[in-house]
Amino acid sequence: NAGVTQTPKFQVLKTGQSMTLQCAQDMNHEYMSWYRQDPGMGLRLIHYSVGAGITDQGEVPNGYNVSRSTTEDFPLRLLSAAPSQTSVYFCASSSVSTEAFFGQGTRLTVV
Amino acid sequence: GQQLNQSPQSMFIQEGEDVSMNCTSSSIFNTWLWYKQDPGEGPVLLIALYKAGELTSNGRLTAQFGITRKDSFLNISASIPSDVGIYFCAGQLRSYGQNFVFGPGTRLSVLP
């Protein structure tokens, strides 16, 4: 059982470039979320989804887009990367009866 | 937005010592979770608490859901080197959306 899989694990972008962070889960969870982790600030919610076709903004959504076309996948898109988006990104999934399961993270550096 | 406070921010302890950390909020939660994060990995759940006053153990770990529903603590007994990591508390705001609010973490170092 793979759980939550994130790709890539590391990425370096130039300012203004775009990219998509991939997240897939094989637990048939309804809920999926994206968090960013910065030193001393814990995990902050970027966007989340309660099911295929339904997404909503979290605490820090600016600069990021998401979509949820299938239950399994929840990609996070950076349209025009900025140095302030340098962070570690975690995808999580859960269901009504479970806690959040996290992927291993994507370490993104924007130069 | 909602915020959780965790204390201490970091701690250095000797192997074999007991550890206590806590998490407080100005808001009420209906679920408290404690996660541990190892370097280069995602957070992994240690203990989940679902009822005010609940005291739950998982091996050497014990956690409690505060009566006021605004706080929780985590104790680790007889610490070992593999306890090193960052410990996060998380409160669940509501069932719909499964939104969790995370504390800033407590960084634990265990000295041999």
Side-chain angles (χ1 to χ4, degrees):
Chain A
N1 190 345
V4 180
T5 302
Q6 288 184 238
T7 56
K9 292 195 172 178
F10 301 94
Q11 182 71 50
V12 178
L13 289 179
K14 293 182 179 178
T15 298
Q17 284 186 316
S18 63
M19 80 159 294
T20 299
L21 308 185
Q22 302 292 343
C23 177
Q25 53 95 5
D26 61 359
M27 296 173 282
N28 202 31
H29 286 165
E30 315 89 273
Y31 304 109
M32 296 186 75
S33 309
W34 277 102
Y35 294 86
R36 60 177 288 172
Q37 183 178 26
D38 301 297
M41 300 190 73
L43 293 157
R44 292 185 292 168
L45 182 65
I46 304 171
H47 285 284
Y48 65 98
S49 169
V50 302
I54 306 170
T55 64
D56 206 346
Q57 296 181 348
E59 180 186 355
V60 288
N62 292 339
Y64 308 95
N65 280 349
V66 292
S67 61
R68 184 97 179 270
S69 57
T70 67
T71 300
E72 294 78 21
D73 301 299
F74 190 43
L76 177 72
R77 281 183 286 276
L78 284 70
L79 299 179
S80 179
S84 61
Q85 294 178 305
T86 294
S87 188
V88 182
Y89 292 84
F90 288 100
C91 177
S93 76
S94 62
S95 71
V96 173
S97 58
T98 72
E99 74 282 6
F101 292 83
F102 286 86
Q104 288 195 308
T106 295
R107 185 175 295 274
L108 176 68
T109 302
V110 183
V111 298
Chain B
Q2 304 289 343
Q3 285 191 329
L4 296 184
N5 300 307
Q6 273 188 259
S7 63
Q9 287 187 335
S10 62
M11 52 196 316
F12 293 82
I13 61 170
Q14 293 291 138
E15 183 176 355
E17 288 184 349
D18 297 342
V19 175
S20 184
M21 57 189 79
N22 69 352
C23 190
T24 59
S25 171
S26 58
S27 302
I28 290 174
F29 292 107
N30 53 31
T31 300
W32 282 95
L33 306 171
W34 284 92
Y35 285 83
K36 183 192 177 203
Q37 184 180 27
D38 292 324
E41 301 290 330
V44 175
L45 183 72
L46 297 174
I47 291 179
L49 302 159
Y50 301 103
K51 285 174 55 177
E54 179 181 355
L55 184 71
T56 297
S57 294
N58 179 8
R60 294 179 296 105
L61 279 61
T62 302
Q64 184 159 30
F65 192 144
I67 291 290
T68 65
R69 298 168 66 186
K70 294 183 178 181
D71 61 344
S72 177
F73 73 75
L74 174 71
N75 287 342
I76 305 172
S77 64
S79 59
I80 59 178
S82 62
D83 290 335
V84 167
I86 304 176
Y87 292 79
F88 291 102
C89 62
Q92 184 182 14
L93 292 172
R94 57 182 187 273
S95 296
Y96 184 80
Q98 287 286 83
N99 285 337
F100 298 93
V101 178
F102 285 84
T106 292
R107 185 179 294 273
L108 178 64
S109 300
V110 179
L111 306 174

